[in-house]
Structure formats: C-alpha cells, structure tokens
Amino acid sequence: MVWNFRNDLPIYSQLVDKIKLAIVSGALPPGARLASVRELAAEAGVNPNTMQRALQELEREEMVYSQRTSGRFVTEDGAVIERAKRRLAEEQIRGFLEGMAGLGYQKQEILSLLTDGTIEIHENEVME
C-alpha cells in the first residue's frame, strides 16, 4: 500500500480510510490476514500506537476482527463491506457535487454533463 498523508486530517483517520479502501476495492480480500501492528506502522511510517488506534476503529466498524493468537483479519461479511463501499461512494459523490456547485453548476447541468456522452471515460481511466 502507498501511504500518503495530508495535513488536514488526523493520521489515524487517514489510516482507517486507506485500509478501508483496500478492503472495499478487494486489494485486501475477505478473510485476509493483516500484517502485525508493528509491521503496518513501519510500512506506513507512523507510530505503532497510531496504527493500533486505526485498527481498533476498523474493528469497531466491523471491517476487521481479531483472533486472539492469530492476528487481525478482514471481515468475511459481504454486507459490511458493501455498506462501507456505499458510504465511500456517497462521500465521493458528495465531494464531486460540492465541487461542481462551486463551479456554478446546477443539478440538471451536472446530470446533463454526465449523460450527454461528450465526456468519454475509458475503463482504464476509471480503475486508476
């Protein structure tokens, strides 16, 4: 995983978002074992306590679970993953709509831009 951090959000929150994105995108598949807190913290370049806090939040959200002697694993509950994916999609759409409103576009104009076929989106552009 690439760990790029911004200054406008707490690091642990960005860690939660990054790991959650890896789960909903399938980069971390259901049932996958996560690296240890220390390994993840070293990889991300953060304090282990910060990583621990992020993983505890992901457990609270049921995105990951702990097995006492085996470590942490990605949830195998497809409904939990789909709900998280939906929430992330809604956040992206909200951000897009706010940006378009900032440009002065109204709802119908935005819909028209999206559906009139003048903007081409190629499969490989969507996946990047």
Side-chain angles (χ1 to χ4, degrees), residues 20-49:
K20 195 181 300 184
L21 181 60
I23 293 170
V24 301
S25 71
L28 286 173
R33 184 180 183 282
L34 298 178
S36 73
V37 171
R38 290 194 185 282
E39 291 169 334
L40 287 171
E43 181 185 321
V46 300
N47 184 297
N49 292 330

mmCIF file of all heavy atoms in Angstrom, residues 20-49:
data_model
loop_
_atom_site.group_PDB
_atom_site.id
_atom_site.type_symbol
_atom_site.label_atom_id
_atom_site.label_comp_id
_atom_site.label_asym_id
_atom_site.label_seq_id
_atom_site.Cartn_x
_atom_site.Cartn_y
_atom_site.Cartn_z
ATOM 1 N N LYS A 20 -9.603 0.808 4.795
ATOM 2 C CA LYS A 20 -10.989 0.554 4.390
ATOM 3 C C LYS A 20 -11.104 0.524 2.866
ATOM 4 O O LYS A 20 -11.768 -0.344 2.295
ATOM 5 C CB LYS A 20 -11.905 1.637 4.968
ATOM 6 C CG LYS A 20 -13.369 1.282 4.920
ATOM 7 C CD LYS A 20 -14.238 2.386 5.481
ATOM 8 C CE LYS A 20 -13.931 2.704 6.915
ATOM 9 N NZ LYS A 20 -14.837 3.707 7.481
ATOM 10 N N LEU A 21 -10.442 1.465 2.200
ATOM 11 C CA LEU A 21 -10.443 1.493 0.736
ATOM 12 C C LEU A 21 -9.821 0.214 0.169
ATOM 13 O O LEU A 21 -10.332 -0.354 -0.803
ATOM 14 C CB LEU A 21 -9.711 2.727 0.218
ATOM 15 C CG LEU A 21 -9.655 2.909 -1.286
ATOM 16 C CD1 LEU A 21 -11.053 3.009 -1.885
ATOM 17 C CD2 LEU A 21 -8.844 4.153 -1.644
ATOM 18 N N ALA A 22 -8.744 -0.260 0.784
ATOM 19 C CA ALA A 22 -8.117 -1.505 0.324
ATOM 20 C C ALA A 22 -9.073 -2.684 0.480
ATOM 21 O O ALA A 22 -9.095 -3.589 -0.355
ATOM 22 C CB ALA A 22 -6.822 -1.749 1.098
ATOM 23 N N ILE A 23 -9.884 -2.656 1.525
ATOM 24 C CA ILE A 23 -10.850 -3.744 1.747
ATOM 25 C C ILE A 23 -11.973 -3.685 0.722
ATOM 26 O O ILE A 23 -12.283 -4.680 0.065
ATOM 27 C CB ILE A 23 -11.400 -3.696 3.191
ATOM 28 C CG1 ILE A 23 -10.286 -4.032 4.190
ATOM 29 C CG2 ILE A 23 -12.583 -4.659 3.345
ATOM 30 C CD1 ILE A 23 -10.647 -3.780 5.644
ATOM 31 N N VAL A 24 -12.597 -2.522 0.555
ATOM 32 C CA VAL A 24 -13.753 -2.448 -0.351
ATOM 33 C C VAL A 24 -13.343 -2.614 -1.808
ATOM 34 O O VAL A 24 -14.145 -3.062 -2.624
ATOM 35 C CB VAL A 24 -14.595 -1.159 -0.153
ATOM 36 C CG1 VAL A 24 -15.107 -1.062 1.266
ATOM 37 C CG2 VAL A 24 -13.855 0.084 -0.560
ATOM 38 N N SER A 25 -12.101 -2.278 -2.142
ATOM 39 C CA SER A 25 -11.651 -2.434 -3.531
ATOM 40 C C SER A 25 -11.202 -3.856 -3.833
ATOM 41 O O SER A 25 -10.980 -4.206 -4.992
ATOM 42 C CB SER A 25 -10.497 -1.468 -3.817
ATOM 43 O OG SER A 25 -9.320 -1.889 -3.141
ATOM 44 N N GLY A 26 -11.043 -4.665 -2.785
ATOM 45 C CA GLY A 26 -10.604 -6.040 -2.987
ATOM 46 C C GLY A 26 -9.107 -6.227 -2.886
ATOM 47 O O GLY A 26 -8.610 -7.357 -2.977
ATOM 48 N N ALA A 27 -8.341 -5.149 -2.701
ATOM 49 C CA ALA A 27 -6.894 -5.278 -2.545
ATOM 50 C C ALA A 27 -6.574 -6.098 -1.289
ATOM 51 O O ALA A 27 -5.578 -6.814 -1.254
ATOM 52 C CB ALA A 27 -6.239 -3.896 -2.471
ATOM 53 N N LEU A 28 -7.419 -5.959 -0.267
ATOM 54 C CA LEU A 28 -7.369 -6.821 0.916
ATOM 55 C C LEU A 28 -8.663 -7.640 0.891
ATOM 56 O O LEU A 28 -9.722 -7.144 1.272
ATOM 57 C CB LEU A 28 -7.292 -5.998 2.207
ATOM 58 C CG LEU A 28 -5.968 -5.334 2.532
ATOM 59 C CD1 LEU A 28 -6.107 -4.415 3.749
ATOM 60 C CD2 LEU A 28 -4.889 -6.386 2.784
ATOM 61 N N PRO A 29 -8.615 -8.863 0.405
ATOM 62 C CA PRO A 29 -9.843 -9.652 0.236
ATOM 63 C C PRO A 29 -10.427 -10.129 1.569
ATOM 64 O O PRO A 29 -9.719 -10.188 2.580
ATOM 65 C CB PRO A 29 -9.380 -10.840 -0.615
ATOM 66 C CG PRO A 29 -7.918 -10.932 -0.408
ATOM 67 C CD PRO A 29 -7.427 -9.557 -0.085
ATOM 68 N N PRO A 30 -11.705 -10.481 1.571
ATOM 69 C CA PRO A 30 -12.336 -11.009 2.778
ATOM 70 C C PRO A 30 -11.539 -12.187 3.333
ATOM 71 O O PRO A 30 -11.102 -13.063 2.588
ATOM 72 C CB PRO A 30 -13.716 -11.458 2.296
ATOM 73 C CG PRO A 30 -13.984 -10.600 1.099
ATOM 74 C CD PRO A 30 -12.644 -10.408 0.454
ATOM 75 N N GLY A 31 -11.341 -12.162 4.651
ATOM 76 C CA GLY A 31 -10.613 -13.239 5.307
ATOM 77 C C GLY A 31 -9.110 -13.083 5.305
ATOM 78 O O GLY A 31 -8.402 -13.864 5.946
ATOM 79 N N ALA A 32 -8.588 -12.079 4.589
ATOM 80 C CA ALA A 32 -7.137 -11.884 4.516
ATOM 81 C C ALA A 32 -6.584 -11.514 5.890
ATOM 82 O O ALA A 32 -7.189 -10.745 6.628
ATOM 83 C CB ALA A 32 -6.791 -10.804 3.507
ATOM 84 N N ARG A 33 -5.430 -12.051 6.206
ATOM 85 C CA ARG A 33 -4.763 -11.718 7.462
ATOM 86 C C ARG A 33 -3.984 -10.422 7.257
ATOM 87 O O ARG A 33 -3.257 -10.272 6.287
ATOM 88 C CB ARG A 33 -3.809 -12.841 7.881
ATOM 89 C CG ARG A 33 -3.171 -12.602 9.227
ATOM 90 C CD ARG A 33 -2.219 -13.757 9.586
ATOM 91 N NE ARG A 33 -1.652 -13.572 10.899
ATOM 92 C CZ ARG A 33 -0.651 -12.745 11.176
ATOM 93 N NH1 ARG A 33 -0.100 -12.028 10.223
ATOM 94 N NH2 ARG A 33 -0.187 -12.641 12.410
ATOM 95 N N LEU A 34 -4.155 -9.491 8.191
ATOM 96 C CA LEU A 34 -3.402 -8.242 8.142
ATOM 97 C C LEU A 34 -2.029 -8.449 8.766
ATOM 98 O O LEU A 34 -1.864 -9.294 9.659
ATOM 99 C CB LEU A 34 -4.137 -7.140 8.912
ATOM 100 C CG LEU A 34 -5.524 -6.745 8.402
ATOM 101 C CD1 LEU A 34 -6.129 -5.686 9.318
ATOM 102 C CD2 LEU A 34 -5.442 -6.223 6.983
ATOM 103 N N ALA A 35 -1.076 -7.668 8.318
ATOM 104 C CA ALA A 35 0.240 -7.684 8.952
ATOM 105 C C ALA A 35 0.082 -7.208 10.396
ATOM 106 O O ALA A 35 -0.941 -6.628 10.770
ATOM 107 C CB ALA A 35 1.194 -6.775 8.177
ATOM 108 N N SER A 36 1.101 -7.432 11.205
ATOM 109 C CA SER A 36 1.043 -7.005 12.605
ATOM 110 C C SER A 36 1.004 -5.483 12.695
ATOM 111 O O SER A 36 1.347 -4.776 11.737
ATOM 112 C CB SER A 36 2.257 -7.530 13.368
ATOM 113 O OG SER A 36 3.422 -6.802 12.979
ATOM 114 N N VAL A 37 0.601 -4.992 13.850
ATOM 115 C CA VAL A 37 0.559 -3.544 14.084
ATOM 116 C C VAL A 37 1.923 -2.939 13.809
ATOM 117 O O VAL A 37 2.032 -1.919 13.121
ATOM 118 C CB VAL A 37 0.106 -3.232 15.534
ATOM 119 C CG1 VAL A 37 0.276 -1.758 15.846
ATOM 120 C CG2 VAL A 37 -1.325 -3.663 15.750
ATOM 121 N N ARG A 38 2.975 -3.553 14.337
ATOM 122 C CA ARG A 38 4.332 -3.018 14.146
ATOM 123 C C ARG A 38 4.738 -3.011 12.673
ATOM 124 O O ARG A 38 5.344 -2.063 12.198
ATOM 125 C CB ARG A 38 5.336 -3.807 14.972
ATOM 126 C CG ARG A 38 5.182 -3.566 16.457
ATOM 127 C CD ARG A 38 6.393 -4.078 17.225
ATOM 128 N NE ARG A 38 6.201 -3.950 18.647
ATOM 129 C CZ ARG A 38 6.325 -2.824 19.329
ATOM 130 N NH1 ARG A 38 6.631 -1.727 18.702
ATOM 131 N NH2 ARG A 38 6.137 -2.797 20.632
ATOM 132 N N GLU A 39 4.415 -4.078 11.964
ATOM 133 C CA GLU A 39 4.759 -4.150 10.538
ATOM 134 C C GLU A 39 4.008 -3.086 9.743
ATOM 135 O O GLU A 39 4.605 -2.385 8.911
ATOM 136 C CB GLU A 39 4.445 -5.538 9.977
ATOM 137 C CG GLU A 39 5.352 -6.627 10.504
ATOM 138 C CD GLU A 39 4.871 -8.024 10.157
ATOM 139 O OE1 GLU A 39 3.654 -8.227 9.954
ATOM 140 O OE2 GLU A 39 5.724 -8.925 10.098
ATOM 141 N N LEU A 40 2.706 -2.959 10.000
ATOM 142 C CA LEU A 40 1.918 -1.942 9.295
ATOM 143 C C LEU A 40 2.406 -0.537 9.631
ATOM 144 O O LEU A 40 2.511 0.325 8.748
ATOM 145 C CB LEU A 40 0.433 -2.077 9.641
ATOM 146 C CG LEU A 40 -0.302 -3.262 9.019
ATOM 147 C CD1 LEU A 40 -1.691 -3.399 9.631
ATOM 148 C CD2 LEU A 40 -0.390 -3.101 7.512
ATOM 149 N N ALA A 41 2.717 -0.302 10.906
ATOM 150 C CA ALA A 41 3.196 1.015 11.328
ATOM 151 C C ALA A 41 4.524 1.339 10.656
ATOM 152 O O ALA A 41 4.720 2.468 10.176
ATOM 153 C CB ALA A 41 3.333 1.068 12.844
ATOM 154 N N ALA A 42 5.420 0.367 10.598
ATOM 155 C CA ALA A 42 6.717 0.590 9.949
ATOM 156 C C ALA A 42 6.526 0.879 8.463
ATOM 157 O O ALA A 42 7.151 1.789 7.910
ATOM 158 C CB ALA A 42 7.629 -0.618 10.153
ATOM 159 N N GLU A 43 5.655 0.111 7.822
ATOM 160 C CA GLU A 43 5.381 0.309 6.388
ATOM 161 C C GLU A 43 4.814 1.704 6.122
ATOM 162 O O GLU A 43 5.173 2.361 5.154
ATOM 163 C CB GLU A 43 4.398 -0.757 5.916
ATOM 164 C CG GLU A 43 4.048 -0.667 4.442
ATOM 165 C CD GLU A 43 2.974 -1.679 4.060
ATOM 166 O OE1 GLU A 43 3.002 -2.813 4.567
ATOM 167 O OE2 GLU A 43 2.112 -1.309 3.238
ATOM 168 N N ALA A 44 3.911 2.149 7.007
ATOM 169 C CA ALA A 44 3.264 3.451 6.826
ATOM 170 C C ALA A 44 4.116 4.602 7.354
ATOM 171 O O ALA A 44 3.835 5.764 7.061
ATOM 172 C CB ALA A 44 1.905 3.464 7.532
ATOM 173 N N GLY A 45 5.123 4.280 8.155
ATOM 174 C CA GLY A 45 5.970 5.320 8.733
ATOM 175 C C GLY A 45 5.277 6.080 9.852
ATOM 176 O O GLY A 45 5.459 7.294 9.984
ATOM 177 N N VAL A 46 4.469 5.370 10.636
ATOM 178 C CA VAL A 46 3.747 6.002 11.743
ATOM 179 C C VAL A 46 4.063 5.273 13.042
ATOM 180 O O VAL A 46 4.595 4.168 13.053
ATOM 181 C CB VAL A 46 2.213 6.006 11.509
ATOM 182 C CG1 VAL A 46 1.862 6.761 10.236
ATOM 183 C CG2 VAL A 46 1.646 4.588 11.467
ATOM 184 N N ASN A 47 3.700 5.886 14.144
ATOM 185 C CA ASN A 47 3.873 5.300 15.455
ATOM 186 C C ASN A 47 2.946 4.088 15.585
ATOM 187 O O ASN A 47 1.792 4.157 15.159
ATOM 188 C CB ASN A 47 3.518 6.371 16.496
ATOM 189 C CG ASN A 47 3.756 5.914 17.899
ATOM 190 O OD1 ASN A 47 3.127 4.973 18.373
ATOM 191 N ND2 ASN A 47 4.655 6.593 18.581
ATOM 192 N N PRO A 48 3.420 2.982 16.173
ATOM 193 C CA PRO A 48 2.552 1.812 16.353
ATOM 194 C C PRO A 48 1.260 2.128 17.109
ATOM 195 O O PRO A 48 0.222 1.517 16.835
ATOM 196 C CB PRO A 48 3.427 0.825 17.134
ATOM 197 C CG PRO A 48 4.821 1.201 16.760
ATOM 198 C CD PRO A 48 4.796 2.699 16.599
ATOM 199 N N ASN A 49 1.292 3.071 18.047
ATOM 200 C CA ASN A 49 0.076 3.435 18.779
ATOM 201 C C ASN A 49 -0.967 4.049 17.844
ATOM 202 O O ASN A 49 -2.167 3.831 18.013
ATOM 203 C CB ASN A 49 0.389 4.413 19.911
ATOM 204 C CG ASN A 49 1.201 3.776 21.014
ATOM 205 O OD1 ASN A 49 1.107 2.582 21.262
ATOM 206 N ND2 ASN A 49 2.030 4.576 21.665
#
